[in-house]
Amino acid sequence: SSFVCSSLQKVITSGALNFCGGAIHYDPALPAVGDTTDVAQAVKMQDQAALKMFFYHLAGMGRDSFEYTEMEYADDCTKSIWRMVCYTYFPRAKLGCQDGMVTNYIRPCQSSCENYLRSCNVECCDEGVRCVFTHEKVLPGGFVEMQKGYIPHDGPSSLCTGG
């Protein structure tokens, strides 16, 4: 899918940024819907998707998501998950990108993943947990799908989203 640049001001004044409101402090890129971008519709769609992923993540950790409705009172682990999902669904717009211009999706910074790993005490597997990776998956018909992790930069940075 393609993304278009927006401004933080436009996203805030859309009135649709609820869950991720306190996490986004940069001009985001929003998914293009058809030939135009209805900012309020795109923001609402991304905000709801981030909230859903936040709930899934907490459930996977055995936490009751309804205990974490106000992020300013949440523990560091929960806040890191919140920021991580918001950075994923509200990628940073490319530096200098004008409102409405098509842009690429800018993946989250490795530091947002590392903050999560540290604050939630995540440990896994013999190989350990990796934030930066590239995996190739061969699909039927010989097509190769590349799966990439976080950008190998610490945020804040114009090269990645978040920090």
Side-chain angles (χ1 to χ4, degrees):
S1 70
S2 63
F3 285 78
V4 294
C5 296
S6 189
S7 69
L8 179 58
Q9 182 64 31
K10 205 172 188 181
V11 167
I12 290 170
T13 58
S14 74
L17 187 63
N18 298 309
F19 176 68
C20 288
I24 308 303
H25 304 288
Y26 50 84
D27 291 335
L30 300 171
V33 182
D35 291 338
T36 61
T37 299
D38 177 335
V39 173
Q41 178 185 354
V43 170
K44 182 178 181 181
M45 180 179 75
Q46 294 301 94
D47 201 56
Q48 288 176 343
L51 177 62
K52 184 183 219 179
M53 191 55 61
F54 175 76
F55 283 165
Y56 286 159
H57 201 116
L58 290 179
M61 295 175 70
R63 294 177 168 210
D64 183 358
S65 56
F66 294 103
E67 292 180 19
Y68 303 99
T69 56
E70 297 181 43
M71 288 301 111
E72 61 268 22
Y73 303 115
D75 60 68
D76 288 343
C77 174
T78 304
K79 285 180 184 176
S80 71
I81 297 166
W82 169 63
R83 285 189 297 269
M84 203 165 50
V85 297
C86 292
Y87 297 158
T88 300
Y89 286 93
F90 288 95
R92 175 184 300 282
K94 186 176 178 182
L95 197 61
C97 189
Q98 299 299 311
D99 192 37
M101 287 178 59
V102 175
T103 189
N104 293 327
Y105 176 84
I106 299 178
R107 290 177 288 144
C109 306
Q110 70 181 359
S111 53
S112 65
C113 174
E114 290 167 350
N115 290 338
Y116 157 69
L117 296 177
R118 184 177 49 258
S119 63
C120 296
N121 297 314
V122 175
E123 296 177 5
C124 173
C125 320
D126 293 337
E127 297 175 23
V129 181
R130 297 174 114 161
C131 295
V132 178
F133 61 85
T134 301
H135 296 291
E136 288 186 7
K137 182 178 179 183
V138 180
L139 302 173
F143 295 104
V144 177
E145 177 182 81
M146 296 291 282
Q147 297 176 336
K148 295 182 178 183
Y150 293 80
I151 297 284
H153 292 283
D154 291 332
S157 169
S158 62
L159 303 173
C160 56
T161 300

